[in-house]
């Protein structure tokens, strides 16, 4: 079921990209050398440094401060490359397109 569910969602993601519709992304940041202080220092000095078209929604940090999970939105996933360039010396990134549980359930239910 998990595999079928992923396949059911792929056309929706591609369709959104082609129509330049805003998509959600979960960004997992792993702080290099477990140095959250360096990341927050830069953030205090320069801000989030997002390019136009990439929107920050919310974030959560592990209690041990090794990773941060950010929910972001954009109609152009290529904008992540510009943003990551400002942080890649301090952070390793994983960018994952996501949909709400409600949207996933609808897509999967149509396949049943």
């Amino acid at each position: 079921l998990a595999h079928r569910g992923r396949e059911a969602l792929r056309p929706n993601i591609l369709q959104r990209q082609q129509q330049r519709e805003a998509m959600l992304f979960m960004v997992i940041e792993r702080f290099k050398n477990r140095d959250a202080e360096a990341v927050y220092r830069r953030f205090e000095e320069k801000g989030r440094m997002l390019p136009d078209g990439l929107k920050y929604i919310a974030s959560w940090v592990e209690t041990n401060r090794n990773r941060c999970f950010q929910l972001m939105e954009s109609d152009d996933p290529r904008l992540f490359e510009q943003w990551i360039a400002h942080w890649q010396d301090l952070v390793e990134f994983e960018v994952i397109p996501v949909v709400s549980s409600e949207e996933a359930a609808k897509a999967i239910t149509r396949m049943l």
Side-chain angles (χ1 to χ4, degrees):
L1 180 62
H3 178 70
R4 282 179 54 201
R6 262 198 316 257
E7 293 301 317
L9 296 176
R10 277 198 185 126
N12 192 14
I13 291 170
L14 293 173
Q15 182 181 27
R16 284 181 175 195
Q17 286 177 332
Q18 291 167 351
Q19 295 175 354
R20 307 279 303 175
E21 203 175 300
M23 297 172 34
L24 294 175
F25 297 87
M26 181 61 67
V27 179
I28 302 172
E29 300 180 347
R30 289 174 183 82
F31 303 139
K32 292 182 179 180
N33 302 315
R34 298 182 180 186
D35 190 2
E37 288 180 18
V39 174
Y40 282 92
R41 188 176 306 113
R42 183 171 298 165
F43 178 77
E44 285 294 315
E45 293 170 0
K46 299 185 177 187
R48 207 169 297 281
M49 297 187 282
L50 293 173
D52 289 339
L54 185 57
K55 179 182 174 188
Y56 166 84
I57 297 175
S59 61
W60 302 263
V61 178
E62 273 186 311
T63 56
N64 64 10
R65 296 181 304 221
N66 289 336
R67 294 186 300 176
C68 178
F69 303 85
Q70 293 195 49
L71 185 61
M72 302 180 85
E73 182 180 70
S74 181
D75 65 354
D76 186 357
R78 297 172 296 183
L79 295 174
F80 282 99
E81 295 171 15
Q82 294 174 35
W83 175 63
I84 288 170
H86 297 293
W87 298 97
Q88 63 188 0
D89 59 321
L90 300 176
V91 179
E92 293 175 0
F93 290 87
E94 185 176 1
V95 178
I96 305 161
V98 296
V99 295
S100 69
S101 296
E102 180 182 356
E103 192 173 344
K106 286 179 184 176
I108 293 168
T109 302
R110 285 193 298 265
M111 301 282 300
L112 300 178

